[in-house]
Amino acid sequence: MTLRVAVFGENRHEKVDPKVQEIYPEGMHTVIADGLRSLLAADGVEAEVRIALLDDIEESLSEEALQSTDVLTWWGHMAHDDVPDEIAERVARRVHEGMGLIPLHSAHYSKPFRRLLGTTCNLLWRNEGEEERVWTVNGSHPIARGVPHPIVIPAQEMYGEMFDIPAPDELVFISSFAGGEVFRSGCVFHRGKGKMFYFSPGDQEYPVYRQPEIQRVLANAVLWARPEDREAAPVKIANAPRDWFREGARTAEGEEITRVI
Amino acid sequence: MTLRVAVFGENRHEKVDPKVQEIYPEGMHTVIADGLRSLLAADGVEAEVRIALLDDIEESLSEEALQSTDVLTWWGHMAHDDVPDEIAERVARRVHEGMGLIPLHSAHYSKPFRRLLGTTCNLLWRNEGEEERVWTVNGSHPIARGVPHPIVIPAQEMYGEMFDIPAPDELVFISSFAGGEVFRSGCVFHRGKGKMFYFSPGDQEYPVYRQPEIQRVLANAVLWARPEDREAAPVKIANAPRDWFREGARTAEGEEITRVI
Amino acid sequence: MTLRVAVFGENRHEKVDPKVQEIYPEGMHTVIADGLRSLLAADGVEAEVRIALLDDIEESLSEEALQSTDVLTWWGHMAHDDVPDEIAERVARRVHEGMGLIPLHSAHYSKPFRRLLGTTCNLLWRNEGEEERVWTVNGSHPIARGVPHPIVIPAQEMYGEMFDIPAPDELVFISSFAGGEVFRSGCVFHRGKGKMFYFSPGDQEYPVYRQPEIQRVLANAVLWARPEDREAAPVKIANAPRDWFREGARTAEGEEITRVI
Amino acid sequence: MTLRVAVFGENRHEKVDPKVQEIYPEGMHTVIADGLRSLLAADGVEAEVRIALLDDIEESLSEEALQSTDVLTWWGHMAHDDVPDEIAERVARRVHEGMGLIPLHSAHYSKPFRRLLGTTCNLLWRNEGEEERVWTVNGSHPIARGVPHPIVIPAQEMYGEMFDIPAPDELVFISSFAGGEVFRSGCVFHRGKGKMFYFSPGDQEYPVYRQPEIQRVLANAVLWARPEDREAAPVKIANAPRDWFREGARTAEGEEITRVI
């Protein structure tokens, strides 16, 4: 079955900041999407990768559009507040239903991420173009497939601990920075039926998404986050009469329980 | 230092439902608070246990009142929506700052719990007064101190899986019910600097909070959830200049960083 | 790439116990292996499923044989002690190198399982042919694909908490029994580069492995446990000179570091 | 109740290496023990801190001595193999029974630690006296009480990822080193009824255990690791007849079950 990926890009810095325009003239989203297309194809995975922008968010992340999205990557920074609450809520619900979500870098402060984690998502930061090294700390995780240990990013914005997130369900990467800080840079969370992977490398001022190792991580993450073969609906609340699971599931109101999970 | 506990009770069923009035004429909150007072005293812990009701929520959970609360227990059911969003948000922030939170039974659907977990918190339920057995599955957890294995509750509302929560940071209790369902009935979560313990026994129609073993669990939980010795403020976001941690911490704006965590 | 599965069976009860002979005249291992073959084929997975018995363990779990095994399922009960320590150690090392391990039922007491977990693996038990219900408690886990909620096993040996294992990395299933006990019946552990899934249903006195839902879980688990695409060797210990990760990795002794993980 | 702490020291480097003798003329164990005594006293905790050496291990870690030990810290390096297997096994069993264990630095390769974790415990290392910074990544953990963020250690041996351990139950500290590596330097594990905290700072060639912040961590860890109020025995294996938990617990053999956990 075709894997349906949407790459959400805020696409604001690219419009207003000459430095960013120079690095990403086609927009970060294009580079991310192209990397996914090429690596998923190389993996033999049939995938459709579309782009969704803040400017077209009402259509590109409409109820219908999200219903036909398996995995959504999310990059946002200066315009988090321009994402309508209703759409953030819709994204969260789709994660509950099984959609994968890959928040990138400054999306630690995006509405869907904070909504799904429940913490402040605060952190330390410094933008001085420091070397970042991304170390694998999980020996058997598919998201770390085929990447060097460490991945070296010549220049990046520093994100440092204390990163105010719930303890990740699985910790895949830890980064160090030239200035000495560390960061849990690759974190797995599960919410409802959906899988999430937060990956911190990738500021708009550095060509991080052009690095093949980073593209490899993103493609691995998208593959890993695809929904399991289940009904695309949140876990159910139901009034379950005694022995419902023996006799054909019906709620107390008589509605047939065709599924619980 | 005195442990300052607030017992939040919705106190609605007690007003309108004769069956509940019979079981809890003084209100569930009173029974919970009395149990805490007596067991914490027996443990040699200096504690002040106050009651906060939905009817006085603007005062009892005011900013000031919460600032002087170390641990908050929360029981609500039919009137979750009557809790103002602003107060739910305030409770969540206080958890980020370090306050302990003990959501009880139907508080799985309360605003603060859902806000802090990020999932639907859906579950199966059936109210037929079934036996519940609460099994300890964590050999070294302080919340399970001094309770039998299992705790037997003669009659309770059934709460069953799939319970749509993030995987708990620590799973302390699993319940089974006469009808065959199971439930993760004692779950630890950390959010920010705050500790949370969700405990499912305790429907309004059964005298569960009068059981000494249940009171023991609540007292253990309150003790465990007290804030660690840290500044009562959320984890900080800060622009941290290079070497800030060597030279005296200052943000890029020159503000002294007196703490990060 | 062909998935190479070995189904280890102790095959002792089948020889000496008429009751078991009646249920599993061809041996439990045969039923398990046939189920895997048929479901993996139905999933479109190219797999070779071989049988390894205690009687031929020196060959069937030889160093060479294990080197060409991707996932090993393990059923043992009355003859745990007849497994040579050296072979248990070899299995543990292969898990460290990436081989998947699926210990079944009474293998909670097998040498490799205890070696890899580090705890006593004690539990409660009772063999009275009680109904077991296997509830999914993880909304997004591939091992729970396509199974009803709950799986009902008409008669089984009871395994109950407290099960003395480390907290699982992921909890997939919790069982209840007619007698009221609960059990963490589907548990994920990671050790080194290897993935483990303990699944408790399946006593020799009941035709549990003939149930299609149980076979589905086993096939799911085998697929999930296959090694990631990494060198089949344990995580390395190495004396790493400064900047080794920049200049071509060499140990202090001058040996080239071709991998760390 | 008096907290009974044993500080195990290998005390070999101190005998043969002039550099170590200069830093720790009284032995590392003495410095560790003195730090604990003084900080626990300052915390108002009644504690007895005794020293156990490899040279007297048959007495100092005898069955009797361990039975009256609540928390054991462990430092070893060059002489891991001189610890008798039987004593390593005894320590592991005492952890199963509830004793706290605090393996320090090179004790990642000690017999009890590897026995209890089940992995190789391999890692990268380099001894060039690099700066280490120990960052707190858990906002509510008592082991991080009162320590700066980060703790800066001017010179230390580097321990780097990939550290081949099971994912810790709680991750408290992550270190970075001047050379760029990172390490999960403060890790919580539970095994049976016992709590373990691995803490990596502290090589014999640097006066790390003289740093007040490091002493603070050790005292916090010892306090945290004290056994909960339970019978000092491993979780039980028992044949539990139906309804045992109602009628007075007896095994199938008629033995009274006075406890399960």
Side-chain angles (χ1 to χ4, degrees):
Chain A
M1 228 164 58
T2 303
L3 175 60
R4 300 163 303 173
V5 183
V7 172
F8 177 75
E10 190 183 270
N11 198 30
R12 283 285 190 275
H13 298 274
E14 292 95 326
K15 287 182 176 173
V16 299
D17 185 338
K19 188 173 173 189
V20 179
Q21 283 165 346
E22 196 174 326
I23 300 168
Y24 290 115
E26 69 279 65
M28 266 179 286
H29 46 276
T30 306
V31 175
I32 291 170
D34 286 348
L36 289 177
R37 283 185 198 110
S38 113
L39 285 169
L40 293 174
D43 279 352
V45 176
E46 198 181 332
E48 279 171 16
V49 181
R50 70 183 177 92
I51 284 169
L53 299 179
L54 182 53
D55 283 336
D56 57 28
I57 195 168
E58 295 288 355
E59 294 80 45
S60 61
L61 300 187
S62 70
E63 186 61 48
E64 254 189 337
L66 279 180
Q67 284 300 338
S68 52
T69 301
D70 294 317
V71 182
L72 174 64
T73 72
W74 189 286
W75 198 99
H77 197 173
M78 62 188 285
H80 291 315
D81 284 348
D82 295 352
V83 173
D85 286 349
E86 187 198 340
I87 292 182
E89 193 57 33
R90 188 185 295 158
V91 168
R93 185 175 40 71
R94 274 292 293 148
V95 170
H96 294 159
E97 293 178 0
M99 184 182 73
L101 181 65
I102 320 281
L104 297 171
H105 188 60
S106 41
H108 75 97
Y109 250 25
S110 64
K111 288 183 180 179
F113 188 62
R114 300 216 280 185
R115 159 70 177 79
L116 286 158
L117 291 203
T119 53
T120 66
C121 302
N122 286 343
L123 45 73
L124 291 190
W125 60 279
R126 172 176 64 241
N127 190 6
E128 300 190 0
E130 288 163 65
E131 184 181 83
E132 174 176 0
R133 314 87 176 193
V134 184
W135 302 88
T136 299
V137 296
N138 185 312
S140 59
H141 210 285
I143 295 181
R145 167 167 63 108
V147 298
H149 179 76
I151 303 170
V152 179
I153 301 173
Q156 239 292 69
E157 185 181 30
M158 183 280 288
Y159 273 13
E161 298 283 347
M162 174 70 196
F163 184 22
D164 186 23
I165 50 173
D169 293 323
E170 299 181 291
L171 184 57
V172 182
F173 300 118
I174 297 174
S175 288
S176 72
F177 290 85
E181 282 90 353
V182 297
F183 196 66
R184 288 169 289 173
S185 50
C187 297
V188 162
F189 302 95
H190 298 260
R191 289 294 181 272
K193 297 181 189 170
K195 302 175 191 171
M196 300 170 60
F197 180 67
Y198 172 76
F199 189 55
S200 66
D203 188 69
Q204 71 275 1
E205 301 197 4
Y206 311 95
V208 176
Y209 295 122
R210 298 194 182 279
Q211 264 188 254
E213 307 96 311
I214 299 298
Q215 294 179 353
R216 180 71 267 167
V217 171
L218 297 188
N220 291 346
V222 162
L223 277 171
W224 165 86
R226 63 190 311 172
E228 298 299 322
D229 186 16
R230 274 166 211 166
E231 188 176 348
V235 169
K236 199 157 189 167
I237 179 138
N239 184 345
R242 192 116 171 191
D243 288 321
W244 65 272
F245 56 85
R246 296 166 199 292
E247 299 162 13
R250 270 182 197 282
T251 65
E253 293 76 30
E255 188 197 351
E256 202 177 348
I257 300 178
T258 52
R259 62 161 193 93
V260 171
I261 301 173
Chain B
M1 228 165 55
T2 303
L3 175 61
R4 302 163 301 175
V5 183
V7 172
F8 177 75
E10 192 183 87
N11 199 29
R12 285 285 189 274
H13 298 274
E14 292 96 326
K15 288 183 179 174
V16 299
D17 185 339
K19 188 173 174 189
V20 178
Q21 283 165 346
E22 196 173 326
I23 301 169
Y24 291 114
E26 70 280 62
M28 266 179 286
H29 46 276
T30 307
V31 176
I32 292 171
D34 286 348
L36 290 176
R37 283 185 196 108
S38 113
L39 286 169
L40 293 173
D43 281 350
V45 176
E46 197 181 332
E48 279 171 16
V49 180
R50 69 182 177 94
I51 284 168
L53 298 179
L54 182 53
D55 282 336
D56 59 28
I57 194 167
E58 296 287 354
E59 295 79 45
S60 61
L61 300 187
S62 70
E63 186 61 49
E64 257 187 335
L66 279 180
Q67 285 300 337
S68 54
T69 300
D70 294 317
V71 182
L72 173 64
T73 71
W74 189 286
W75 198 101
H77 197 173
M78 64 188 283
H80 292 316
D81 282 349
D82 295 351
V83 173
D85 286 348
E86 187 196 341
I87 292 183
E89 192 59 32
R90 189 185 293 156
V91 168
R93 184 174 39 71
R94 274 292 293 147
V95 171
H96 294 158
E97 293 177 1
M99 183 182 74
L101 180 66
I102 319 281
L104 296 172
H105 187 59
S106 41
H108 74 96
Y109 250 26
S110 65
K111 288 182 179 179
F113 189 61
R114 300 216 280 184
R115 159 71 177 80
L116 287 158
L117 291 204
T119 53
T120 66
C121 302
N122 286 342
L123 47 70
L124 291 190
W125 60 279
R126 172 176 63 242
N127 190 5
E128 300 189 1
E130 287 163 65
E131 184 182 83
E132 174 175 0
R133 312 89 178 193
V134 184
W135 301 88
T136 299
V137 296
N138 186 313
S140 58
H141 209 284
I143 295 181
R145 167 165 62 107
V147 299
H149 178 76
I151 303 170
V152 178
I153 302 173
Q156 238 291 69
E157 185 181 30
M158 184 280 289
Y159 273 13
E161 298 283 349
M162 172 74 197
F163 185 22
D164 187 24
I165 50 172
D169 292 326
E170 298 181 292
L171 183 58
V172 182
F173 300 117
I174 297 175
S175 288
S176 70
F177 291 85
E181 281 90 353
V182 297
F183 196 66
R184 288 169 290 173
S185 50
C187 297
V188 162
F189 302 95
H190 299 261
R191 291 295 180 270
K193 298 180 188 172
K195 301 175 192 171
M196 300 170 60
F197 179 68
Y198 172 75
F199 188 54
S200 65
D203 188 69
Q204 72 275 2
E205 300 196 3
Y206 311 97
V208 176
Y209 295 120
R210 297 194 183 279
Q211 264 188 254
E213 309 96 309
I214 299 297
Q215 294 178 353
R216 182 70 266 168
V217 171
L218 296 188
N220 291 346
V222 162
L223 278 171
W224 165 87
R226 63 192 309 171
E228 299 298 323
D229 187 15
R230 277 168 208 162
E231 187 177 348
V235 169
K236 200 159 188 165
I237 180 137
N239 184 344
R242 192 117 172 189
D243 288 320
W244 64 271
F245 56 86
R246 296 167 200 291
E247 299 161 13
R250 269 179 199 283
T251 65
E253 292 77 31
E255 186 198 353
E256 202 177 349
I257 300 177
T258 53
R259 65 163 188 93
V260 171
I261 301 174
Chain C
M1 230 165 55
T2 303
L3 175 61
R4 300 163 303 173
V5 183
V7 172
F8 177 75
E10 192 184 86
N11 199 28
R12 284 284 191 275
H13 297 275
E14 291 96 327
K15 286 182 178 174
V16 299
D17 185 338
K19 188 172 175 189
V20 178
Q21 282 164 346
E22 196 173 325
I23 300 168
Y24 290 114
E26 69 281 62
M28 265 180 286
H29 46 276
T30 307
V31 175
I32 292 170
D34 285 348
L36 290 176
R37 282 185 198 110
S38 112
L39 284 170
L40 293 173
D43 279 352
V45 176
E46 198 181 331
E48 278 171 16
V49 180
R50 70 181 177 94
I51 285 168
L53 299 179
L54 182 52
D55 283 335
D56 58 28
I57 195 168
E58 295 288 352
E59 294 80 45
S60 61
L61 299 187
S62 70
E63 185 62 48
E64 255 187 336
L66 279 180
Q67 285 299 336
S68 52
T69 300
D70 294 318
V71 181
L72 173 65
T73 72
W74 189 285
W75 198 99
H77 197 175
M78 63 188 284
H80 291 315
D81 283 348
D82 295 351
V83 172
D85 286 350
E86 187 197 341
I87 292 182
E89 192 59 33
R90 189 185 293 157
V91 168
R93 185 175 37 73
R94 275 291 294 149
V95 170
H96 295 158
E97 294 178 0
M99 185 182 73
L101 181 67
I102 319 282
L104 297 172
H105 188 60
S106 41
H108 75 96
Y109 250 26
S110 65
K111 289 183 179 178
F113 189 62
R114 299 217 278 185
R115 159 71 177 79
L116 286 158
L117 291 204
T119 53
T120 66
C121 301
N122 285 343
L123 46 71
L124 292 190
W125 59 280
R126 173 177 61 241
N127 190 6
E128 300 189 2
E130 287 164 65
E131 184 181 83
E132 175 176 359
R133 313 86 178 194
V134 185
W135 301 88
T136 298
V137 296
N138 186 312
S140 60
H141 209 286
I143 294 181
R145 168 167 62 107
V147 298
H149 179 74
I151 302 171
V152 178
I153 302 173
Q156 239 291 69
E157 185 181 31
M158 184 278 289
Y159 273 14
E161 298 284 348
M162 172 71 196
F163 185 22
D164 187 24
I165 49 172
D169 293 324
E170 298 180 293
L171 185 57
V172 182
F173 299 118
I174 297 175
S175 288
S176 71
F177 291 85
E181 281 90 353
V182 297
F183 196 66
R184 287 169 291 172
S185 50
C187 297
V188 161
F189 301 96
H190 297 261
R191 290 295 181 271
K193 297 179 190 171
K195 301 175 191 169
M196 300 170 60
F197 179 68
Y198 172 76
F199 188 55
S200 66
D203 188 69
Q204 72 275 1
E205 300 196 4
Y206 310 96
V208 176
Y209 295 122
R210 297 194 183 279
Q211 262 187 256
E213 308 96 309
I214 300 297
Q215 294 179 353
R216 181 71 267 167
V217 171
L218 297 188
N220 291 348
V222 161
L223 277 171
W224 165 86
R226 64 191 310 172
E228 298 299 321
D229 186 14
R230 273 164 212 167
E231 188 177 347
V235 169
K236 201 159 190 167
I237 179 135
N239 184 344
R242 191 117 169 189
D243 288 322
W244 64 271
F245 56 84
R246 296 168 198 290
E247 298 161 14
R250 271 180 197 282
T251 66
E253 292 76 30
E255 187 198 351
E256 202 177 349
I257 299 177
T258 52
R259 62 163 192 94
V260 170
I261 301 172
Chain D
M1 227 164 55
T2 303
L3 175 60
R4 301 162 302 173
V5 182
V7 172
F8 177 75
E10 190 184 88
N11 200 29
R12 284 285 190 274
H13 297 274
E14 290 96 327
K15 287 182 176 174
V16 299
D17 185 338
K19 188 172 175 189
V20 178
Q21 283 165 346
E22 196 174 323
I23 301 168
Y24 289 115
E26 69 280 63
M28 265 179 287
H29 46 275
T30 307
V31 176
I32 292 170
D34 286 349
L36 290 176
R37 282 185 198 110
S38 112
L39 285 170
L40 293 173
D43 281 352
V45 176
E46 197 181 332
E48 280 171 16
V49 181
R50 69 182 177 93
I51 284 168
L53 299 179
L54 182 52
D55 282 337
D56 58 29
I57 193 167
E58 295 288 353
E59 294 79 47
S60 62
L61 300 187
S62 71
E63 186 61 48
E64 255 188 336
L66 280 180
Q67 284 300 337
S68 53
T69 301
D70 294 318
V71 182
L72 173 65
T73 72
W74 190 285
W75 198 101
H77 197 175
M78 63 188 285
H80 292 314
D81 284 348
D82 295 352
V83 173
D85 286 349
E86 188 197 339
I87 292 182
E89 192 59 32
R90 189 184 293 157
V91 168
R93 185 173 40 72
R94 276 292 293 149
V95 170
H96 295 159
E97 293 177 1
M99 183 182 74
L101 180 66
I102 319 282
L104 298 171
H105 188 59
S106 41
H108 75 95
Y109 250 25
S110 65
K111 287 182 180 179
F113 188 62
R114 299 216 281 185
R115 159 71 176 81
L116 286 158
L117 291 203
T119 53
T120 66
C121 301
N122 286 342
L123 47 70
L124 291 189
W125 60 280
R126 173 176 63 241
N127 191 5
E128 299 190 0
E130 287 163 64
E131 184 181 84
E132 175 175 0
R133 313 89 176 192
V134 185
W135 302 87
T136 298
V137 296
N138 186 312
S140 58
H141 210 286
I143 295 182
R145 166 167 63 107
V147 298
H149 179 76
I151 303 170
V152 178
I153 303 173
Q156 238 292 69
E157 184 181 31
M158 183 280 287
Y159 273 11
E161 298 284 348
M162 171 71 198
F163 185 21
D164 187 24
I165 50 172
D169 293 325
E170 298 181 293
L171 184 58
V172 182
F173 299 118
I174 297 174
S175 288
S176 71
F177 291 85
E181 281 90 354
V182 297
F183 196 66
R184 287 168 291 173
S185 50
C187 297
V188 162
F189 302 95
H190 299 261
R191 290 293 181 271
K193 297 180 190 170
K195 302 175 192 173
M196 301 170 59
F197 179 67
Y198 173 76
F199 189 54
S200 65
D203 188 69
Q204 72 276 2
E205 301 196 3
Y206 311 96
V208 175
Y209 295 121
R210 298 195 182 280
Q211 265 189 253
E213 307 97 310
I214 299 297
Q215 294 179 353
R216 182 70 266 167
V217 171
L218 296 188
N220 291 347
V222 162
L223 277 171
W224 165 86
R226 65 190 311 172
E228 298 299 323
D229 186 15
R230 275 168 208 162
E231 187 176 349
V235 169
K236 200 159 189 167
I237 179 138
N239 184 344
R242 192 114 171 192
D243 287 321
W244 65 271
F245 57 84
R246 294 168 201 290
E247 299 162 13
R250 274 182 194 280
T251 65
E253 291 77 32
E255 187 197 352
E256 203 177 348
I257 301 178
T258 52
R259 64 163 189 91
V260 170
I261 300 174

